[in-house]
């Protein structure tokens, strides 16, 4: 039977902590872009829709006085729907432009 010393116990605990840290770090990198509840990516990828959402939210359509924000109006979803409705060549061009942003 293996004798459990204090040093071995600490090394096992430290190794387990490092393993959890690496696993959670990999999970964070794998799921960096997440859709909000009620959103669906039709013509854009999840990453591209998140980029459009952040542009709408912060740069182009912030809430101003009595006017609602672009997020409340669903401008980002409308952009996704418009990209989806375009021919394939136009869709690829729009996706490339969004990836540059």
């Amino acid at each position: 039977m293996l004798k459990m010393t204090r040093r071995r116990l600490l090394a096992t605990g430290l190794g387990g902590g490092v393993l959890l840290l690496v696993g959670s770090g990999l999970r964070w990198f794998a799921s960096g872009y997440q859709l909000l509840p009620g959103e669906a990516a039709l013509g854009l990828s999840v990453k591209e829709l998140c980029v459009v959402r952040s542009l709408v939210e912060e740069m182009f359509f912030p809430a101003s006085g009595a006017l609602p924000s672009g997020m409340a109006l669903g401008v980002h979803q409308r952009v996704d729907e418009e990209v989806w409705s375009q021919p394939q060549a136009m869709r690829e061009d729009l996706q490339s432009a969004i990836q540059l942003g």
Side-chain angles (χ1 to χ4, degrees), residues 14 17 19 38 59 81:
L14 185 61
L19 185 65
M59 294 183 69
E81 291 168 3

Side-chain angles (χ1 to χ4, degrees), residues 34-55:
Q34 296 180 350
L35 297 178
L36 297 176
E39 289 182 344
L42 300 173
L44 300 173
S45 69
V46 172
K47 177 182 176 182
E48 292 163 346
L49 184 59
C50 289
V51 168
V52 170
R53 182 179 64 210
S54 66
L55 288 173

Side-chain angles (χ1 to χ4, degrees), residues 31-92:
S31 65
Y33 298 99
Q34 296 180 350
L35 297 178
L36 297 176
E39 289 182 344
L42 300 173
L44 300 173
S45 69
V46 172
K47 177 182 176 182
E48 292 163 346
L49 184 59
C50 289
V51 168
V52 170
R53 182 179 64 210
S54 66
L55 288 173
V56 166
E57 187 175 19
E58 299 297 328
M59 294 183 69
F60 298 122
F61 300 102
S64 146
L67 296 175
S69 67
M71 288 290 296
L73 295 174
V75 173
H76 62 293
Q77 281 295 145
R78 183 65 183 161
V79 169
D80 185 36
E81 291 168 3
E82 288 298 322
V83 169
W84 176 76
S85 69
Q86 299 302 312
Q88 183 65 29
M90 179 65 79
R91 189 179 313 152
E92 290 172 358

Side-chain angles (χ1 to χ4, degrees), residues 20-37:
L20 284 174
L21 180 66
V22 168
S24 63
L26 290 175
R27 172 74 177 143
W28 181 78
F29 281 121
S31 65
Y33 298 99
Q34 296 180 350
L35 297 178
L36 297 176

